[in-house]
Amino acid sequence: MQQRRSLLSIPASLLFLLPAGVFVFIFIILPFFWIAAVSFTNRTLTGRTAVDPEYVGLANYLRLFDPDRFLRSGEFGASLVITGQFVFFSAIVGQVLLGLLLAWFFFNRKGWVRETVQTLAILAWIMPDVVVAFAWFAFLDRDAGTLNQILSTLGIGKPDWLINLPLVSVIIFNTWRGTAFSMLLFTSAFGSIPPSHLETAAVAGANTWQRLRDIILPLIRTHIITDLILITLWTFNTFTPFLLTGGGPAFQTELVSIFTYRTAFKFFRFGQGSAVGMIMMLINLVFAIFYLFLLRRQQVKL
Amino acid sequence: MATISTTQTTRQKDRSLNKQSRTLVMRAAITSLTLVILLLYLLPLGYSVLTSLKSKAQVSDVNAPILPSEAQTYFYEGEEYDVYKIPTAEGEKEWALVQKGRSSSQFVDPQNPEAGLIEWQGRWRTLKPSYQLAFQWSNYPRAFNFINFWRLLGFTLLYAIVTTIAATSSAAIVAYGFSRFRFPFKSVLFIILISTIILPPQVTLVPMYAFFYRIGWVGTWLPLIVPQFFSNAYNVFLLRQYFMTIPTSMEEAARIDGAGPIRTFISVILPQAVPALIAVSLFHFFFAWNDFFGPLIYLAGSAELNPIAVGLFRFNGLYSSEPQLIQAASILTMIIPLLIFFFAQRFFMQGIVVTGEK
């Protein structure tokens, strides 16, 4: 019976899976092999090399990892270092940790304050990138910006944020933009903890920190890892800081995504751009495998 | 004995009082901390709103107040004069400057113009001009006309609505396939699909661009709209999670009544999955409304087709000397997502909850 039903449903299931099949094949698998192949050529968008690209071997990769220029500003290595700092501070410390703390802070608190904070956090998250970038651009302005007006009333100097501290600005900006997602995810995770667990712990005399460490965190660790995966990858691949700084000044905020854009779409050097794409994909894969490994290990422990 | 018990009760009372006042202090501290966080959070946006209501003169004046305002003036004997704040022996006065002088100037008191001119010793350049609140609402219609808002809005809405319908329905179909059918290599296929979530968009962008360029779609909306008809991994994942929670008893009943899989999908599954479908639609709508990178690349040569996000970016490049218009335009851009958000907040939250549940 079971056997027959599953056999019967094969044609129907194919019908339902067709869009995904087309999607994966045309928009993922083909492009994947395309960039893998093109990354070994000197292909460009137009001109002679567009029609008849030459095989250049590992030249594109060697050029990216050329030790003489690797860490020079505006090159791939420098951009990786910048992205590393950006991901660490604005994704892991900023969004995940801050989101967790905020969710914990509002856990079990009711009333208008919590409602308002949640609403505003989601708002910051759904607002158009361009709008947010413009607001921050004005906010960080050296002379007329609100931030410096506040700092100078407090007696702290007036740094020119986007010129002298561009990476810091971009990190704060991205944290502000994205923390809402983590906060809401953790809020819902906290909501799924059975209240009896916490009550028992309270009766046993556990303090707030012990309750967080020994009960809440272990119970929501799959949420934490899911959040870490999504936030790390989103932050690694985000292009939004481009709207705030354009990658500058002097390439100081040139994240890998912006580096790819510049290589592939400013000069239309597709061979070079594909090589960068391949490496970005590998890095993403390493992140994902690492987190999935954590997830697997945690489950085995149970 | 009696005394001891009294001291004990007072001590207990003291303790409970202490505890009460401590919780009160704690609560006050937490509330004020929350308010500070809230305020910090709101600052950039608040600044944007304030700037959108300022005059051009105020935006470029470093000493102008934070709130939208304009320099106060006063008409005296048919002439318009600026009003300044003047420190005098009887406190600060707001007088209009009539006759400028090097070391002393003549003012008139708007409260009491009959008193005539007042001589004041000191340099008038050291005085601060007096401002009064003034909101430049006219920035909004000006910005609206400047960026040709209707055209941008039209394209953005079209793009958002068409792709939302396409993305949600295709994802629902695929999610149904994955949640209800048994077929060979199902879990492998699902993992392949889900792993596309981690594929950076920039990776497939180059080959997709080359492909769309070859077939002549670059410079049109097609490369942005057509791929959405083939579902995407995140939406499939979200909907599959939800479909799995729907009990199969109703489907079995429908099957016994002779309904095929398509019929079952449309009349049994979809009606039960409305909250998840709305959540996915909302996610996609906001994504499409905010999409900047796609249109920036595919519509680079055809500015007349730009959606709002790119239009605003170009507008910023053209009118960087008019920040108040840029902020006004960007606030106009937010209105539709904001309205949708307030009406559908509940569903939005639900989408995030489903994501968290692995």
Side-chain angles (χ1 to χ4, degrees), chain B residues 305-327:
Chain B
L305 293 176
N306 278 337
I308 260 175
V310 182
L312 210 58
F313 189 66
R314 293 196 193 288
F315 177 64
N316 183 33
L318 290 174
Y319 300 101
S320 56
S321 60
E322 310 240 16
Q324 77 284 6
L325 291 185
I326 291 166
Q327 299 297 349

Side-chain angles (χ1 to χ4, degrees), chain B residues 1-323:
Chain B
M1 274 304 261
T3 36
I4 292 173
S5 71
T6 358
T7 28
Q8 256 177 359
T9 39
T10 25
R11 206 178 282 158
Q12 262 170 5
K13 243 187 218 159
D14 267 7
R15 203 178 291 155
S16 75
L17 212 74
N18 218 330
K19 205 174 170 186
Q20 250 178 13
S21 65
R22 231 174 46 205
T23 40
L24 210 70
V25 169
M26 268 294 277
R27 198 172 289 167
I30 286 169
T31 310
S32 41
L33 183 67
T34 317
L35 286 177
V36 170
I37 298 176
L38 251 176
L39 206 68
L40 283 175
Y41 214 86
L42 281 179
L43 269 176
L45 281 184
Y47 185 74
S48 165
V49 174
L50 289 180
T51 308
S52 75
L53 292 169
K54 288 178 182 174
S55 64
K56 190 180 176 185
Q58 196 196 350
V59 174
S60 49
D61 182 359
V62 178
N63 295 317
I66 289 183
L67 294 176
S69 40
E70 58 188 9
Q72 214 176 324
T73 56
Y74 178 67
F75 280 95
Y76 180 67
E77 293 177 346
E79 295 274 339
E80 192 177 9
Y81 299 108
D82 291 335
V83 177
Y84 287 87
K85 290 181 176 166
I86 297 125
T88 64
E90 302 115 61
E92 198 176 69
K93 299 277 186 190
E94 296 196 345
W95 290 342
L97 175 60
V98 177
Q99 188 68 48
K100 291 169 184 169
R102 212 176 146 69
S103 58
S104 73
S105 301
Q106 289 182 315
F107 292 85
V108 67
D109 184 0
Q111 309 285 306
N112 184 14
E114 291 79 26
L117 295 177
I118 310 164
E119 187 84 12
W120 179 74
Q121 300 291 327
R123 288 157 192 261
W124 69 271
R125 283 184 189 280
T126 61
L127 296 171
K128 283 197 172 136
S130 160
Y131 278 96
Q132 61 185 7
L133 280 184
F135 299 101
Q136 305 291 324
W137 296 107
S138 61
N139 285 342
Y140 282 86
R142 277 186 68 204
F144 198 92
N145 294 327
F146 247 8
I147 57 172
N148 202 343
F149 198 78
W150 284 125
R151 199 185 61 203
L152 294 174
L153 189 75
F155 279 123
T156 316
L157 265 179
L158 190 75
Y159 174 49
I161 292 174
V162 171
T163 61
T164 298
I165 295 171
T168 311
S169 43
S170 59
I173 291 171
V174 175
Y176 181 61
F178 274 116
S179 69
R180 286 296 190 272
F181 292 96
R182 249 166 295 195
F183 48 88
F185 307 114
K186 179 171 150 179
S187 52
V188 176
L189 287 175
F190 190 64
I191 287 170
I192 292 178
L193 181 66
I194 292 309
S195 61
T196 63
I197 291 181
I198 65 159
L199 200 70
Q202 287 86 359
V203 172
T204 49
L205 199 70
V206 174
M208 290 323 302
Y209 188 91
F211 170 67
F212 288 130
Y213 184 83
R214 182 66 65 80
I215 62 174
W217 282 11
V218 169
T220 72
W221 277 96
L222 292 172
L224 296 165
I225 292 180
V226 172
Q228 306 293 347
F229 279 89
F230 299 99
S231 79
N232 83 40
Y234 185 73
N235 294 345
V236 170
F237 172 72
L238 227 125
L239 287 177
R240 190 192 86 122
Q241 297 306 96
Y242 197 87
F243 288 171
M244 304 277 260
T245 65
I246 299 176
T248 52
S249 52
M250 270 179 84
E251 286 159 72
E252 273 152 24
R255 193 174 295 137
I256 289 164
D257 287 348
I262 297 172
R263 180 82 191 279
T264 315
F265 171 64
I266 292 170
S267 45
V268 178
I269 294 286
L270 288 188
Q272 292 188 76
V274 169
L277 292 172
I278 293 181
V280 168
S281 310
L282 284 175
F283 276 132
H284 188 88
F285 186 87
F286 288 120
F287 159 78
W289 191 271
N290 300 349
D291 192 12
F292 174 77
F293 197 65
L296 176 74
I297 284 174
Y298 287 117
L299 299 174
S302 0
E304 73 285 353
L305 293 176
N306 278 337
I308 260 175
V310 182
L312 210 58
F313 189 66
R314 293 196 193 288
F315 177 64
N316 183 33
L318 290 174
Y319 300 101
S320 56
S321 60
E322 310 240 16

Side-chain angles (χ1 to χ4, degrees), chain A residues 5-276:
Chain A
R5 214 176 77 190
S6 70
L7 276 178
L8 266 179
S9 56
I10 285 178
S13 68
L14 282 180
L15 192 73
F16 281 101
L17 295 178
L18 191 68
V22 174
F23 168 77
V24 170
F25 188 71
I26 295 190
F27 300 106
I28 307 291
I29 295 180
L30 277 187
F32 173 79
F33 285 111
W34 192 91
I35 73 158
V38 168
S39 71
F40 296 106
T41 69
N42 62 356
R43 195 185 164 116
T44 50
L45 178 69
T46 50
R48 189 184 58 80
T49 43
V51 195
D52 186 23
E54 286 159 19
Y55 175 76
V56 294
L58 284 172
N60 287 325
Y61 292 93
L62 292 177
R63 193 172 171 278
L64 286 179
F65 289 102
D66 180 1
D68 287 339
R69 54 201 296 179
F70 187 60
L71 287 173
R72 222 182 283 160
S73 125
E75 292 293 337
F76 186 58
S79 156
L80 274 181
V81 172
I82 291 166
T83 313
Q85 292 169 331
F86 179 71
V87 169
F88 181 76
F89 286 108
S90 92
I92 298 171
V93 176
Q95 297 180 43
V96 178
L97 205 64
L98 188 68
L100 186 66
L101 286 177
L102 283 175
W104 186 43
F105 185 74
F106 291 113
F107 178 45
N108 277 343
R109 268 178 240 290
K110 298 271 176 303
W112 65 273
V113 177
R114 181 186 147 137
E115 295 288 309
T116 321
V117 170
Q118 280 196 353
T119 307
L120 289 171
I122 310 179
L123 268 182
W125 192 56
I126 62 162
M127 255 179 313
D129 290 337
V130 184
V131 174
V132 178
F134 286 172
W136 272 82
F137 195 77
F139 180 65
L140 294 173
D141 188 83
R142 174 165 197 167
D143 292 316
T146 320
L147 186 60
N148 276 356
Q149 284 186 351
I150 294 167
L151 289 182
S152 62
T153 31
L154 292 175
I156 307 166
K158 285 179 159 191
D160 198 336
W161 291 93
L162 291 171
I163 305 292
N164 298 331
L165 299 164
L167 189 57
V168 176
S169 307
V170 167
I171 286 172
I172 297 176
F173 164 76
N174 198 56
T175 309
W176 182 89
R177 178 107 173 97
T179 307
F181 180 84
S182 303
M183 183 183 117
L184 295 173
L185 201 148
F186 289 132
T187 304
S188 84
F190 285 165
S192 70
I193 296 172
S196 59
H197 282 49
L198 292 171
E199 280 156 22
T200 318
V203 170
N207 63 30
T208 325
W209 163 242
Q210 285 169 332
R211 259 181 289 171
L212 180 69
R213 190 192 58 194
D214 296 332
I215 299 184
I216 298 180
L217 290 186
L219 279 174
I220 63 165
R221 63 167 182 276
T222 48
H223 290 85
I224 296 179
I225 294 171
T226 310
D227 191 56
L228 269 175
I229 297 179
L230 290 174
I231 298 291
T232 312
L233 294 177
W234 283 344
T235 309
F236 186 78
N237 297 321
T238 184
F239 186 71
T240 316
F242 178 80
L243 290 170
L244 199 59
T245 63
F251 306 115
Q252 284 180 68
T253 53
E254 193 174 68
L255 304 171
V256 189
S257 58
I258 301 174
F259 181 82
T260 321
Y261 168 73
R262 201 163 56 89
T263 324
F265 290 98
K266 268 246 168 87
F267 310 116
F268 293 104
R269 288 197 300 247
F270 281 171
Q272 188 77 58
S274 299
V276 181

